[in-house]
């Protein structure tokens, strides 16, 4: 019980990131008004496929490379983070919190759900893929 309390307190201090719905993000991308989107996966994963318009900053480098965040980060729209399933995005969220970047949201279902739903992706060459 004490362990669960410590985890809960830690999350309370960090603040939980709200999910950003896949369909809402897609609509914002298609209307040309996307929030800042950051892919925190490996270079190979990003090269293979990523959410259109996403900036690649690996989770382990986000704090040091936060100057690579989109200029709109920390504005009214949340920074939308994603990895393949969620854990790396959680680490990235903690780093952004330490850097004072708010608000932050996680892509609902992360990249695995985006691909599962057949939503559009880009490759590192910028070519669209089904």
């Amino acid at each position: 019980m004490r362990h669960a309390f410590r985890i809960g307190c830690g999350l309370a201090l960090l603040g939980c990131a709200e999910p950003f719905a896949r369909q809402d993000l897609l609509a914002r991308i298609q209307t040309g008004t996307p929030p800042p989107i950051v892919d925190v996966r490996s270079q190979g994963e990003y090269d293979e496929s990523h959410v259109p318009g996403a900036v690649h900053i690996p989770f382990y480098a986000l704090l040091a490379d936060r100057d690579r965040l989109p200029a709109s980060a920390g504005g009214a729209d949340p920074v939308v983070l994603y990895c393949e399933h969620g854990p790396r995005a959680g680490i990235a969220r903690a780093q952004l919190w330490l850097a004072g970047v708010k608000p932050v949201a996680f892509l609902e279902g992360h990249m695995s759900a985006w691909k599962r739903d057949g939503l559009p992706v880009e490759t590192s060459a910028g070519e669209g893929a089904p």
Side-chain angles (χ1 to χ4, degrees):
M1 182 70 154
R2 197 174 346 161
H3 182 68
F5 178 76
R6 287 182 187 155
I7 291 172
C9 289
L11 290 175
L13 289 173
L14 268 181
C16 294
E18 293 294 319
F20 203 103
R22 293 182 302 280
Q23 292 299 331
D24 292 345
L25 182 58
L26 179 60
R28 296 278 304 270
I29 291 168
Q30 290 174 333
T31 61
T33 60
I37 308 166
V38 181
D39 184 322
V40 299
R41 300 175 302 152
S42 71
Q43 185 68 53
E45 290 170 300
Y46 178 82
D47 289 347
E48 184 179 303
S49 66
H50 54 269
V51 172
V55 172
H56 179 243
I57 309 173
F59 78 97
Y60 56 81
L62 192 57
L63 190 57
D65 291 344
R66 67 184 178 273
D67 59 326
R68 294 178 41 214
L69 287 168
S72 58
D77 279 332
V79 175
V80 178
L81 295 175
Y82 71 89
C83 62
E84 194 65 27
H85 300 283
R88 292 174 286 181
I91 295 168
R93 164 66 178 102
Q95 292 179 64
L96 290 179
W97 179 81
L98 288 171
V101 177
K102 303 176 207 169
V104 175
F106 293 132
L107 174 60
E108 177 189 48
H110 296 274
M111 192 63 178
S112 60
W114 187 273
K115 291 187 291 191
R116 182 192 66 232
D117 289 353
L119 299 175
V121 297
E122 291 178 340
T123 66
S124 61
E127 300 171 15

